[in-house]
Amino acid sequence: MDIELKVLCGICIGDYMDKLEELRASIEHTWPYIDETGMGSGVCAPERFARNLGAVVIIALHKNRIIGAACGEPLMHEAASLGDPLIRNGEAIEDFFYFAQLLLDDAYRGMDLEEKLFEAIEHHAREIGFARVNFCADYAMDSTLERTGPKKTKEDRAIETLWRTRNYRPLMGARFSPQADPDQDMQIWVKDLNIDQQREQKGRRKAVAG
Protein backbone atom coordinates (compact mmCIF):
# COMPACT_ATOMS: atom_id res chain seq x y z
CA MET A 1 0.00 0.00 0.00
CA ASP A 2 1.41 3.36 -1.07
CA ILE A 3 1.32 5.62 2.00
CA GLU A 4 3.24 8.89 2.11
CA LEU A 5 4.51 10.58 5.27
CA LYS A 6 4.75 14.35 5.06
CA VAL A 7 6.51 16.54 7.63
CA LEU A 8 4.86 19.90 8.30
CA CYS A 9 6.39 22.81 10.18
CA GLY A 10 5.45 26.46 10.64
CA ILE A 11 2.92 27.98 8.26
CA CYS A 12 2.74 24.74 6.26
CA ILE A 13 0.73 23.25 9.12
CA GLY A 14 -2.02 25.78 8.47
CA ASP A 15 -2.73 24.29 5.03
CA TYR A 16 -3.90 21.07 6.68
CA MET A 17 -5.74 22.36 9.77
CA ASP A 18 -9.23 21.54 8.53
CA LYS A 19 -8.28 18.04 7.38
CA LEU A 20 -6.52 17.33 10.68
CA GLU A 21 -9.62 18.39 12.59
CA GLU A 22 -11.71 16.08 10.42
CA LEU A 23 -9.37 13.19 11.17
CA ARG A 24 -9.49 13.82 14.89
CA ALA A 25 -13.28 14.09 14.84
CA SER A 26 -13.56 10.81 12.95
CA ILE A 27 -11.49 8.88 15.47
CA GLU A 28 -13.21 7.87 18.69
CA HIS A 29 -9.94 7.77 20.62
CA THR A 30 -6.21 8.09 20.02
CA TRP A 31 -3.96 5.10 19.36
CA PRO A 32 -1.82 4.85 21.33
CA TYR A 33 -3.43 6.76 24.19
CA ILE A 34 -0.78 9.44 24.24
CA ASP A 35 -1.66 12.39 26.41
CA GLU A 36 -5.37 12.55 27.12
CA THR A 37 -4.86 15.40 29.62
CA GLY A 38 -6.78 18.01 27.66
CA MET A 39 -4.26 20.61 28.86
CA GLY A 40 -3.78 23.33 26.24
CA SER A 41 -2.03 21.58 23.37
CA GLY A 42 -2.15 18.30 25.26
CA VAL A 43 -3.93 17.24 22.12
CA CYS A 44 -2.49 18.19 18.78
CA ALA A 45 -3.44 21.86 18.25
CA PRO A 46 -2.29 22.68 14.70
CA GLU A 47 -3.04 26.39 14.98
CA ARG A 48 -0.71 26.64 17.99
CA PHE A 49 1.93 24.33 16.59
CA ALA A 50 2.15 26.52 13.48
CA ARG A 51 3.43 29.37 15.67
CA ASN A 52 5.89 27.47 17.87
CA LEU A 53 9.53 27.07 16.89
CA GLY A 54 10.50 23.40 16.65
CA ALA A 55 6.92 22.10 16.54
CA VAL A 56 6.00 19.50 13.94
CA VAL A 57 2.93 17.75 12.56
CA ILE A 58 3.55 14.59 10.56
CA ILE A 59 0.71 13.38 8.39
CA ALA A 60 0.19 10.01 6.73
CA LEU A 61 -1.50 10.23 3.32
CA HIS A 62 -3.19 7.49 1.30
CA LYS A 63 -4.62 8.53 -2.05
CA ASN A 64 -4.34 12.17 -0.94
CA ARG A 65 -6.45 11.52 2.17
CA ILE A 66 -5.02 12.04 5.66
CA ILE A 67 -5.32 8.72 7.46
CA GLY A 68 -2.95 9.40 10.35
CA ALA A 69 -1.02 12.13 12.12
CA ALA A 70 1.49 12.64 14.90
CA CYS A 71 2.49 15.92 16.48
CA GLY A 72 5.00 17.24 18.96
CA GLU A 73 7.01 20.24 20.04
CA PRO A 74 9.74 21.22 22.51
CA LEU A 75 8.36 20.69 26.00
CA MET A 76 9.24 24.28 26.92
CA HIS A 77 6.31 25.42 24.74
CA GLU A 78 3.83 23.28 26.67
CA ALA A 79 1.80 24.06 29.78
CA ALA A 80 3.91 24.37 32.92
CA SER A 81 1.92 21.57 34.52
CA LEU A 82 3.48 19.09 32.07
CA GLY A 83 7.00 20.12 33.01
CA ASP A 84 6.54 20.34 36.77
CA PRO A 85 6.74 16.53 37.38
CA LEU A 86 10.04 16.44 35.48
CA ILE A 87 11.44 19.41 37.39
CA ARG A 88 10.51 17.75 40.69
CA ASN A 89 12.34 14.67 39.43
CA GLY A 90 15.52 16.68 38.87
CA GLU A 91 15.12 16.91 35.09
CA ALA A 92 15.56 19.98 32.88
CA ILE A 93 12.49 20.53 30.67
CA GLU A 94 14.60 22.17 27.96
CA ASP A 95 16.11 18.73 27.29
CA PHE A 96 12.78 17.20 26.24
CA PHE A 97 10.79 17.05 23.01
CA TYR A 98 7.12 16.43 23.82
CA PHE A 99 5.18 13.86 21.75
CA ALA A 100 1.70 15.35 22.08
CA GLN A 101 -0.55 12.96 20.18
CA LEU A 102 -0.81 10.17 17.62
CA LEU A 103 -3.95 9.66 15.54
CA LEU A 104 -4.65 6.83 13.13
CA ASP A 105 -7.73 5.84 11.17
CA ASP A 106 -9.14 2.51 12.41
CA ALA A 107 -8.83 0.93 8.96
CA TYR A 108 -5.04 1.47 8.92
CA ARG A 109 -4.11 0.13 12.33
CA GLY A 110 -1.79 -2.84 12.65
CA MET A 111 0.10 -1.95 9.45
CA ASP A 112 3.27 -0.61 11.12
CA LEU A 113 2.13 2.97 10.56
CA GLU A 114 2.19 3.59 14.31
CA GLU A 115 5.85 2.59 14.30
CA LYS A 116 6.64 4.85 11.34
CA LEU A 117 4.94 7.84 12.96
CA PHE A 118 6.92 7.25 16.16
CA GLU A 119 10.12 7.08 14.09
CA ALA A 120 9.27 10.31 12.27
CA ILE A 121 8.64 12.22 15.52
CA GLU A 122 11.87 10.92 17.03
CA HIS A 123 13.84 11.76 13.88
CA HIS A 124 12.55 15.33 13.94
CA ALA A 125 13.40 15.70 17.62
CA ARG A 126 16.92 14.41 17.01
CA GLU A 127 17.41 16.65 13.97
CA ILE A 128 16.65 19.82 15.96
CA GLY A 129 18.97 18.86 18.80
CA PHE A 130 16.90 16.94 21.34
CA ALA A 131 18.18 13.73 22.92
CA ARG A 132 15.03 12.84 24.87
CA VAL A 133 11.36 12.44 23.96
CA ASN A 134 8.50 12.21 26.43
CA PHE A 135 4.75 11.74 26.42
CA CYS A 136 2.00 11.39 29.01
CA ALA A 137 -0.32 8.43 29.42
CA ASP A 138 -2.78 7.06 31.92
CA TYR A 139 -0.87 5.72 34.93
CA ALA A 140 -2.78 2.43 34.68
CA MET A 141 -1.13 1.72 31.31
CA ASP A 142 2.13 0.71 33.01
CA SER A 143 2.08 -3.07 33.49
CA THR A 144 4.92 -2.94 36.03
CA LEU A 145 2.65 -1.15 38.49
CA GLU A 146 0.14 -2.68 40.87
CA ARG A 147 -3.40 -2.72 39.52
CA THR A 148 -6.36 -1.49 41.51
CA GLY A 149 -8.68 -0.73 38.59
CA PRO A 150 -10.07 -2.67 35.60
CA LYS A 151 -7.87 -5.27 33.92
CA LYS A 152 -5.98 -4.20 30.82
CA THR A 153 -7.50 -5.04 27.45
CA LYS A 154 -5.69 -6.72 24.57
CA GLU A 155 -5.38 -3.31 22.89
CA ASP A 156 -3.91 -1.80 26.07
CA ARG A 157 -1.23 -4.49 26.12
CA ALA A 158 -0.44 -3.91 22.44
CA ILE A 159 -0.07 -0.18 23.08
CA GLU A 160 2.34 -0.65 25.96
CA THR A 161 4.31 -3.24 23.98
CA LEU A 162 4.83 -0.68 21.21
CA TRP A 163 6.07 1.92 23.70
CA ARG A 164 8.50 -0.48 25.37
CA THR A 165 9.72 -1.91 22.07
CA ARG A 166 10.65 1.63 21.09
CA ASN A 167 12.55 1.98 24.40
CA TYR A 168 10.12 4.27 26.21
CA ARG A 169 9.99 3.76 29.96
CA PRO A 170 7.86 5.30 32.71
CA LEU A 171 9.93 7.85 34.61
CA MET A 172 9.74 6.99 38.28
CA GLY A 173 8.30 9.78 40.40
CA ALA A 174 6.94 11.65 37.36
CA ARG A 175 3.20 11.39 37.92
CA PHE A 176 0.61 14.13 38.01
CA SER A 177 -3.10 14.89 37.85
CA PRO A 178 -4.13 17.38 35.14
CA GLN A 179 -5.92 20.51 36.25
CA ALA A 180 -8.77 19.74 33.85
CA ASP A 181 -9.35 16.34 35.51
CA PRO A 182 -7.89 16.11 39.05
CA ASP A 183 -9.13 12.52 39.39
CA GLN A 184 -7.03 11.34 36.44
CA ASP A 185 -3.61 9.91 37.27
CA MET A 186 -1.04 10.49 34.51
CA GLN A 187 2.43 9.04 34.07
CA ILE A 188 5.28 10.54 32.05
CA TRP A 189 7.12 8.12 29.75
CA VAL A 190 10.60 8.98 28.46
CA LYS A 191 12.95 7.75 25.75
CA ASP A 192 16.65 8.54 25.47
CA LEU A 193 17.21 8.83 21.72
CA ASN A 194 20.88 7.89 22.17
CA ILE A 195 19.74 4.31 22.90
CA ASP A 196 18.88 3.79 19.23
CA GLN A 197 22.29 5.04 18.13
CA GLN A 198 24.06 2.83 20.67
CA ARG A 199 22.15 -0.24 19.44
CA GLU A 200 22.93 0.57 15.81
CA GLN A 201 26.62 0.93 16.63
CA LYS A 202 26.57 -2.37 18.54
CA GLY A 203 24.87 -4.07 15.59
CA ARG A 204 27.50 -2.75 13.17
CA ARG A 205 30.30 -3.97 15.46
CA LYS A 206 28.74 -7.45 15.57
CA ALA A 207 28.40 -7.49 11.77
CA VAL A 208 32.08 -6.57 11.34
CA ALA A 209 33.17 -9.12 13.96
CA GLY A 210 30.92 -11.82 12.52
Side-chain angles (χ1 to χ4, degrees):
M1 186 179 293
D2 188 16
I3 295 176
E4 176 190 4
L5 291 188
K6 183 174 288 190
V7 179
L8 308 174
C9 298
I11 60 174
C12 294
I13 296 173
D15 297 336
Y16 292 86
M17 281 187 188
D18 291 341
K19 290 182 179 180
L20 285 166
E21 289 299 329
E22 290 175 7
L23 173 67
R24 186 162 57 190
S26 70
I27 297 175
E28 293 182 357
H29 54 69
T30 60
W31 201 106
Y33 302 115
I34 291 179
D35 193 4
E36 295 177 338
T37 63
M39 296 161 51
S41 62
V43 293
C44 188
E47 67 283 354
R48 214 172 76 82
F49 277 42
R51 299 193 301 267
N52 289 345
L53 186 66
V56 66
V57 175
I58 297 161
I59 58 174
L61 296 162
H62 182 224
K63 297 182 178 179
N64 293 319
R65 183 173 74 87
I66 297 181
I67 51 89
C71 56
E73 65 178 346
L75 183 59
M76 64 185 75
H77 293 322
E78 287 288 337
S81 301
L82 282 172
D84 287 346
L86 291 168
I87 294 172
R88 291 196 301 269
N89 214 44
E91 304 286 351
I93 61 172
E94 58 267 24
D95 293 341
F96 289 87
F97 187 86
Y98 181 61
F99 192 167
Q101 194 173 54
L102 187 153
L103 299 167
L104 190 59
D105 187 299
D106 285 354
Y108 295 85
R109 295 179 186 177
M111 301 171 62
D112 294 329
L113 283 175
E114 303 91 349
E115 184 92 5
K116 291 178 180 178
L117 288 167
F118 263 87
E119 289 175 356
I121 285 286
E122 292 165 10
H123 177 76
H124 174 81
R126 191 182 290 110
E127 285 292 297
I128 62 173
F130 288 88
R132 306 183 85 186
V133 175
N134 75 298
F135 64 79
C136 302
D138 193 309
Y139 179 67
M141 291 300 297
D142 182 2
S143 65
T144 65
L145 304 171
E146 184 178 354
R147 287 287 177 273
T148 56
K151 292 184 178 179
K152 292 172 64 176
T153 65
K154 181 178 180 180
E155 186 178 62
D156 291 339
R157 290 192 293 272
I159 291 167
E160 187 186 327
T161 297
L162 173 63
W163 297 345
R164 291 185 178 277
T165 299
R166 295 208 58 79
N167 298 310
Y168 287 87
R169 297 292 184 269
L171 187 63
M172 299 306 295
R175 292 169 56 190
F176 69 100
S177 295
Q179 295 175 354
D181 187 1
D183 294 329
Q184 191 175 21
D185 197 7
M186 304 298 292
Q187 169 69 48
I188 292 178
W189 290 63
V190 173
K191 175 177 180 175
D192 183 346
L193 295 177
N194 292 325
I195 289 178
D196 289 341
Q197 295 176 338
Q198 292 167 2
R199 290 191 173 185
E200 289 174 5
Q201 291 171 357
K202 185 176 180 180
R204 286 196 293 269
R205 287 196 298 269
K206 283 184 176 180
V208 171

